[in-house]
Amino acid sequence: MLTMKDIIRDGHPGLRTKAEEVSLPISREDKQTIDDMLEFIKNSQDDKIAAKLQLRSGVGLAAPQLNINKRMLVIHFFDEQKNDYITHQLINPKIVSHSVEKSYLPQGEGCLSVDENIPGLVHRYARITVKGFNPEGKEVKLRLNRFAAIVAQHEIDHLNGVMFYDHINHEDPFKPESNAAPVE
Ligand SMILES: CC(C)(C)[C@H](NC(=O)Nc1cc(F)cc(F)c1)C(=O)N(CC(=O)NO)CC1CCCC1
Ligand SMILES: [Zn+2]
């Protein structure tokens, strides 16, 4: 089972690498990895397990954060609007279209691979369409908005060696862009 010690931290070259496409059908090993990744995120949101294993409460994870150079990511969090969990295990994800409008988390972003706080707004597309494959090899097409769109873009950035703070305007970190709206 994965714990925080398996997650590489800022400064490790693995976080600045462009990850390789996963060959399909996925191997037993890659299936195990993406299942371990989802289990880690679920564990991190379980108060008892998170306390016992000292896990930060996560909502998404990309394989490069485990120093695994493969285009795989997981997303899992409770969506209040849907009143249900949003759960995705995505292989070779690609943003195939996006809104012009941008959005951002008013509190800024953090990262499981970054131990210190780096204040500032991270502007992302408000709505995206993502194509990829699920672990069963089925092609999936996801239309994401609000927090789900932010998490997906944060994780896809990891597959391209991009960190959230690369997007912060260091002249004026909390200045919203003109066509951007906060996601509460
Ligand atoms: C960096 C960290 C603070 C651990 C962040 N956690 C998080 O957002 N937790 C959270 C938020 C909720 F709204 C509800 C809830 F149940 C738990 C996170 O997992 N990530 C994922 C990450 O680092 N992936 O590489 C950072 C987020 C910043 C914006 C999107 C993902
Ligand atoms: Zn991250």
Side-chain angles (χ1 to χ4, degrees):
M1 149 184 62
L2 294 173
T3 62
M4 294 305 294
K5 69 168 176 31
D6 298 299
I7 294 179
I8 59 174
R9 305 299 156 89
D10 210 8
H12 190 301
L15 289 171
R16 291 302 189 177
T17 309
K18 185 166 173 45
E20 300 285 324
E21 294 250 318
V22 174
S23 51
L24 296 168
I26 69 171
S27 64
R28 194 193 319 269
E29 184 192 9
D30 288 343
K31 169 80 169 106
Q32 187 59 58
T33 299
I34 203 166
D35 285 347
D36 289 347
M37 289 165 66
L38 183 55
E39 182 202 40
F40 171 85
I41 294 296
K42 288 181 175 177
N43 285 344
S44 78
Q45 291 178 23
D46 177 307
D47 295 345
K48 279 182 63 167
I49 301 175
K52 192 156 136 275
L53 297 176
Q54 307 275 303
L55 306 180
R56 289 179 74 188
S57 174
V59 292
L61 188 69
Q65 293 179 274
L66 303 171
N67 203 23
I68 295 173
N69 184 26
K70 295 192 176 191
R71 302 186 76 81
M72 302 196 292
L73 65 87
V74 301
I75 295 170
H76 179 74
F77 66 91
F78 189 79
D79 182 300
E80 310 288 345
Q81 275 189 332
K82 292 187 169 55
N83 197 34
D84 195 4
Y85 276 93
I86 288 183
T87 305
H88 295 297
Q89 291 177 295
L90 274 181
I91 292 151
N92 300 335
K94 221 169 116 57
I95 297 175
V96 293
S97 70
H98 60 77
S99 59
V100 171
E101 292 79 14
K102 299 274 185 82
S103 65
Y104 57 88
L105 295 177
Q107 72 274 20
E109 294 189 9
C111 182
L112 284 160
S113 292
V114 179
D115 294 329
E116 71 279 351
N117 288 326
I118 303 177
L121 300 185
V122 177
H123 291 85
R124 297 190 184 277
Y125 299 120
R127 294 174 300 285
I128 57 173
T129 301
V130 179
K131 271 190 178 174
F133 294 87
N134 68 15
E136 291 64 47
K138 185 169 175 290
E139 187 170 21
V140 294
K141 181 173 174 181
L142 306 172
R143 287 176 189 76
L144 304 173
N145 63 8
R146 299 183 55 75
F147 189 62
I150 289 176
V151 180
Q153 290 172 82
H154 178 110
E155 304 311 336
I156 290 170
D157 266 357
H158 277 306
L159 304 184
N160 298 320
V162 174
M163 300 295 285
F164 73 90
Y165 54 77
D166 297 343
H167 300 286
I168 294 173
N169 168 359
H170 287 292
E171 265 72 62
D172 186 350
F174 283 95
K175 177 169 160 259
E177 287 179 12
S178 50
N179 67 341
V183 170
E184 306 302 342

